Amino acid sequence: MLTGSIVALVTPMDKTGEIDFHALKALVEFHIKSGTSAIVAVGTTGESATLNVDDHVKVVMKTVEFADGRIDVIAGNGANSTAEAIIFSKLFANSGIVAGLNVTPYYNKPTQEGLYQHFKKIAESSDLAQILYNVPGRTAVDMLPETVARLAKIKNIIGIKEATGDLNRLHEIKALVADDFLLFSGDDETGCDFMLQGGDGVISVTTNIAPVQMSKMCEFALAGKTEQAQEIHQQLMPVHQNLFVESNPIPVKWACVELGLIPSADCRLPLTILAQAQHSIVRDALTKAKLLS
């Protein structure tokens, strides 16, 4: 079962915007050695919205290759077009990934019925396990608990990444779905409480730069060891809060460079490198979290 600290992995790139597969391999090894439970390849943090289909598939498949069965890989396979999401779902079926992560369609603002039909069609297109992903702050559409409950009845829809940061959502969804439906936080700032209140894990941006600490925090939280979990969580709070001073993944990529994890903080346009004015904010957060001396 997928639980604990799951990294929403950055996609390393060089200054021309080309994928740095050597750096990607090093990141996969880093997370295996650090105790991360699973990797999400090409989610929001992996720049799914700026990679073309070929690069998207290459990054996912290379991540699976580098993981070599030692860590579970989840593939971002959502899109604002149902047809495009189905293409990804079919491509990733029988590829070695354990599930697809499906973001709510962005920009076109579907109704709740539209959301239901969208995810139902994707789930029916292959046998690949699917995890729903609700992040209204990025997509401008909020999938309500009642819609999640309808979708949870489809056999290969196995869970949700709930990124509203509203802990009430956890309890609302939990009351409507079966006990084996997986509930992941998509918000690092509230992820610890999410698990302490019954969630199964966190799909995390912070885990990119603090995998050992996040793994241990999740272990404590899932075991109900509130004091130990909260101690680590509070230590990491400066980075939870300041990795979003600009749009994700801009700050976390810069932090990865600062910690020597990747050689370049470059993103694909329209994303840019972290502005000079924000450097001290992120560096100070890394120092306060004891990730940088």
Side-chain angles (χ1 to χ4, degrees):
M1 181 182 290
L2 292 166
T3 60
S5 177
I6 300 171
V7 63
L9 195 66
V10 299
T11 299
M13 300 173 182
D14 63 23
K15 293 187 181 300
T16 68
E18 292 301 308
I19 310 299
D20 185 343
F21 288 107
H22 179 76
L24 179 63
K25 183 176 182 179
L27 286 178
V28 172
E29 293 297 329
F30 174 62
H31 284 285
I32 291 169
K33 292 175 182 176
S34 299
T36 300
S37 297
I39 292 170
V40 170
V42 199
T44 303
T45 310
E47 297 179 61
S48 57
T50 58
L51 296 188
N52 61 36
V53 172
D54 286 345
D55 281 341
H56 188 132
V57 174
K58 283 179 185 176
V59 172
V60 170
M61 298 314 298
K62 278 294 186 181
T63 303
V64 172
E65 177 188 327
F66 298 149
D68 194 25
R70 295 171 295 163
I71 187 171
D72 286 335
V73 178
I74 299 164
N77 70 318
N80 62 347
S81 158
T82 306
E84 183 177 331
I86 286 172
I87 290 170
F88 284 127
S89 189
K90 288 181 176 179
L91 285 171
F92 295 143
N94 304 311
S95 66
I97 69 166
V98 298
L101 182 66
N102 268 285
V103 70
T104 49
Y106 43 89
Y107 188 77
N108 49 28
K109 300 176 73 172
T111 63
Q112 295 300 305
E113 182 62 24
L115 290 171
Y116 174 75
Q117 295 293 341
H118 171 79
F119 289 117
K120 181 174 180 287
K121 286 284 188 183
I122 295 168
E124 291 173 346
S125 71
S126 79
D127 292 331
L128 182 66
Q130 303 288 346
I131 299 170
L132 308 172
Y133 177 15
N134 188 42
V135 57
R138 296 286 295 232
T139 64
V141 61
D142 185 8
M143 184 162 53
L144 300 179
E146 294 76 14
T147 304
V148 176
R150 291 179 69 195
L151 289 164
K153 295 175 183 176
I154 299 170
K155 66 177 182 178
N156 58 328
I157 296 181
I158 64 169
I160 184 169
K161 176 184 176 183
E162 176 42 64
T164 59
D166 179 1
L167 291 172
N168 289 327
R169 280 294 177 90
L170 167 65
H171 301 291
E172 291 169 0
I173 295 170
K174 201 172 179 63
L176 295 172
V177 299
D179 290 342
D180 62 352
F181 189 76
L182 296 169
L183 300 166
F184 300 112
S185 170
D187 177 64
D188 279 310
E189 196 170 343
T190 58
C192 182
D193 286 332
F194 188 97
M195 285 180 285
L196 287 168
Q197 295 180 32
D200 296 295
V202 56
I203 298 177
S204 165
V205 177
T206 296
T207 297
N208 279 282
I209 58 172
V212 174
Q213 296 90 331
M214 285 295 293
S215 178
K216 183 58 68 173
M217 185 274 287
C218 290
E219 180 184 325
F220 284 139
L222 292 172
K225 296 180 178 180
T226 302
E227 186 176 340
Q228 296 97 319
Q230 288 287 4
E231 182 179 354
I232 299 172
H233 182 60
Q234 290 305 317
Q235 178 185 322
L236 294 174
M237 189 59 73
V239 292
H240 294 335
Q241 294 176 331
N242 288 292
L243 286 182
F244 298 91
V245 291
E246 289 185 8
S247 296
N248 181 43
I250 292 171
V252 72
K253 272 196 157 180
W254 187 89
C256 283
V257 172
E258 194 76 355
L259 295 174
L261 298 174
I262 58 176
S264 171
D266 287 274
C267 304
R268 281 196 180 169
L269 289 171
L271 299 176
T272 54
I273 292 177
L274 187 70
Q276 183 71 39
Q278 310 290 4
H279 289 193
S280 61
I281 295 172
V282 178
R283 188 179 292 115
D284 186 54
L286 295 175
T287 303
K288 287 179 178 177
K290 302 180 182 178
L291 301 175
L292 191 67
S293 57

